[in-house]
Amino acid sequence: MQTRTVEFAVGLFVLAGLLALAMLALKVGNMPMFGSGQYYSVTASFGNVGSLKEKAPVMLAGVRIGQVGHIGLNQQTFEAVVRLDISKKYDNLPVDTSASILTQGLLGEQFVSLDPGGSQRYLKNGDKIRVTQSAIMLDKIISQLLYSKAGH
Amino acid sequence: MDQGRGIVGHVRRLGRQTLDGVARLGRAMLFLLRLTPGLPVLFTRFSLVIQQIYVSGVLTLIIVLVSGAFVGMILALQGYNTLVRYDAQSSLGLLVALSLVRELGPVLTALLFAGRAGSAMTAEIGLMKATEQLAGMEMMAVDPLKRVVMPRFLAGWVSVPLLAAIFSAVGILAAYVVAVSDLGLDGGVFWSQMQSGVSVTNDIMGGVVKSVVFGLVISWIAVFEGYDARPTSEGVSLATTRTVVSSSLAVLGLDFIMTAFMLRGL
């Protein structure tokens, strides 16, 4: 009887511990998708990615549809090559979709925003997004503004 | 032992203490090695381990739950107070979750465990030695390392990571309650900011690795100090104190080293 209660209490304790771990993994962290099965990847070249980071969200109309997989440099064109991992659910993005790097709020983190085009053909794994707009560098704009003001 | 007076005596004592310290470390290491053959106790006498998990894990649960909830609520209040200056209070969930999962959960749980269960482990084993129960077992051809020490060691090792996970989870929930009901933050933003910033592989697994190491070190120190205690009431009390002091220091020192490794991405 005594040992039975002890065993039960220990069982509950272990269960609670595992549940807490599961909660941490699923609710607190973002469990990475296993393998590339859920994603297809397209690339986009930008003149400047600003402070875009890997794992930054990829949004379409404000809805998160994927994340930035990798940021590299094309050594021929000296452009930043960004790999976008987009959820398989959204497999009907037109090929003439354009990508731009925007900022959430004034000082918030940067993300990639997609604007769908009108083509009937869809982006596939490995495709390249042709029309892109680089990150807006706030300090550049300010310095240009000051420069143009000084010119007057 | 009298090492004499004057400067020479001081130098001698210093040398003696250093040598003693190194010897203790060596004894502790050898003790751990002597313990390993007892590992099959996990399969042969599993009920002993269960019993000890109850003593060191389940009975520590209350203090861990209460402290976790309070730490979470304090973090929410303090974090909000600072973040609101930069209009960044939407990141409160992220701040609380990262602090708890990476640092406070594993470390505070380890310190609480050392005080609540580690000291008890040492006192029990030390007293068994002082009352010659361990010697009695040896007389009956029962290996006290396998029968007494190993179950406690394993139970402590298993309990700490579980307790740390519970600590972090309770802390985050408590912070959520404070943030939403008291500070008036949006609950959805609280969770979504958290999820976008906490990585399972780095942050959460890093915290689990830490607490596994802490569990090992505390349990090791606790059983060693108990087994190595001078078999007098004074010796047992000294050993108990030493368990709490050395395991707290070991936890904080190791935490620094592991954090340095983890943040450099090794």
Side-chain angles (χ1 to χ4, degrees), chain A residues 3-151:
Chain A
T3 42
R4 186 113 190 97
T5 354
V6 167
E7 278 171 4
F8 184 69
V10 171
L12 274 184
F13 167 61
V14 173
L15 261 182
L18 294 179
L19 259 176
L21 262 182
M23 179 201 137
L24 289 180
L26 296 175
K27 192 123 172 83
V28 174
N30 46 347
M31 200 67 182
M33 299 292 173
F34 295 112
S36 57
Q38 278 96 338
Y39 282 124
Y40 70 99
S41 304
V42 297
T43 58
S45 298
F46 293 93
N48 192 331
V49 290
S51 62
L52 187 74
K53 302 252 169 29
E54 287 176 13
K55 292 206 176 127
V58 174
M59 314 268 237
L60 198 155
V63 179
R64 188 187 173 119
I65 60 168
Q67 61 179 10
V68 172
H70 178 76
I71 300 175
L73 185 70
N74 181 337
Q75 297 204 331
Q76 262 83 52
T77 60
F78 295 109
E79 281 184 323
V81 179
V82 176
R83 201 187 78 221
L84 308 174
D85 296 337
I86 297 169
S87 171
K88 274 263 164 72
K89 259 196 301 187
Y90 309 103
D91 58 353
N92 58 343
L93 301 179
V95 283
D96 53 350
T97 295
S98 67
S100 42
I101 298 177
L102 301 179
T103 310
Q104 286 173 333
L106 194 59
L107 300 168
E109 65 174 317
Q110 293 192 299
F111 65 98
V112 176
S113 173
L114 297 183
D115 280 312
S119 173
Q120 293 296 314
R121 288 188 300 124
Y122 300 136
L123 283 171
K124 300 185 306 293
N125 192 29
D127 278 359
K128 190 169 188 288
I129 292 180
R130 310 244 164 242
V131 187
T132 63
Q133 191 198 341
S134 294
I136 297 166
M137 308 292 280
L138 207 57
D139 42 0
K140 258 189 189 167
I141 293 176
I142 291 173
S143 71
Q144 271 170 7
L145 191 73
L146 289 177
Y147 190 70
S148 66
K149 277 267 187 282

Side-chain angles (χ1 to χ4, degrees), chain A residues 2-3 5-7 9-11 13-14 16-18 20-21 23-32 55 64 104 109, chain B residues 50-51 53-54 57-58 61 97 101 159 162-163 165-166 168-169 172-173 191 194-196 198-201 204 208:
Chain A
Q2 181 68 44
T3 42
T5 354
V6 167
E7 278 171 4
V10 171
F13 167 61
V14 173
L18 294 179
L21 262 182
M23 179 201 137
L24 289 180
L26 296 175
K27 192 123 172 83
V28 174
N30 46 347
M31 200 67 182
K55 292 206 176 127
R64 188 187 173 119
Q104 286 173 333
E109 65 174 317
Chain B
I50 296 276
Q51 189 79 37
I53 293 181
Y54 180 78
V58 177
L61 205 52
V101 168
S159 297
L162 293 173
L163 288 169
I166 293 173
S168 301
I172 290 168
L173 288 176
W191 290 115
M194 196 187 290
Q195 283 173 357
S196 66
V198 178
S199 116
V200 175
T201 44
I204 295 178
V208 172

Side-chain angles (χ1 to χ4, degrees), chain B residues 209-254:
Chain B
V209 168
K210 275 184 183 179
S211 57
V212 168
V213 173
F214 295 159
L216 168 72
V217 169
I218 297 172
S219 314
W220 175 23
I221 292 177
V223 292
F224 170 71
E225 289 290 358
Y227 198 76
D228 197 55
R230 263 187 298 124
T232 58
S233 33
E234 215 185 350
V236 174
S237 101
L238 195 69
T240 313
T241 312
R242 256 205 310 245
T243 294
V244 178
V245 173
S246 348
S247 48
S248 305
L249 289 179
V251 162
L252 294 172
L254 282 171

Side-chain angles (χ1 to χ4, degrees), chain B residues 14-147:
Chain B
L14 195 66
R16 166 66 53 203
Q17 277 166 8
T18 313
L19 292 182
D20 279 352
V22 175
R24 276 186 75 75
L25 192 64
R27 266 213 308 284
M29 201 67 226
L30 289 174
F31 179 73
L32 190 65
L33 289 180
R34 272 173 61 203
L35 216 52
T36 40
L39 207 59
V41 77
L42 199 56
F43 308 107
T44 52
R45 301 294 302 271
F46 191 58
S47 59
L48 285 177
V49 182
I50 296 276
Q51 189 79 37
Q52 290 309 316
I53 293 181
Y54 180 78
V55 173
S56 59
V58 177
L59 296 182
T60 316
L61 205 52
I62 303 287
I63 187 176
V64 161
L65 285 174
V66 174
S67 335
F70 275 115
V71 168
M73 292 192 281
I74 293 164
L75 272 179
L77 289 176
Q78 290 278 14
Y80 179 81
N81 207 18
T82 309
L83 288 175
V84 80
R85 289 189 209 174
Y86 307 102
D87 203 20
Q89 60 272 44
S90 56
S91 303
L92 183 65
L94 180 61
L95 173 91
V96 169
L98 281 184
S99 325
L100 276 171
V101 168
R102 273 196 201 155
E103 284 299 328
L104 294 176
V107 172
L108 287 183
T109 307
L111 295 179
L112 289 172
F113 185 85
R116 166 66 182 72
S119 56
M121 241 187 251
T122 306
E124 198 184 6
I125 296 175
L127 212 62
M128 279 182 169
K129 190 181 178 189
T131 52
E132 294 183 342
Q133 291 181 50
L134 297 185
M137 279 182 189
E138 267 167 18
M139 296 286 285
M140 293 187 289
V142 175
D143 184 357
L145 283 183
K146 281 185 189 156
R147 180 69 176 73

Side-chain angles (χ1 to χ4, degrees), chain B residues 148-162:
Chain B
V148 173
V149 176
M150 198 60 191
R152 283 168 177 72
F153 175 71
L154 286 176
W157 193 2
V158 170
S159 297
V160 174
L162 293 173

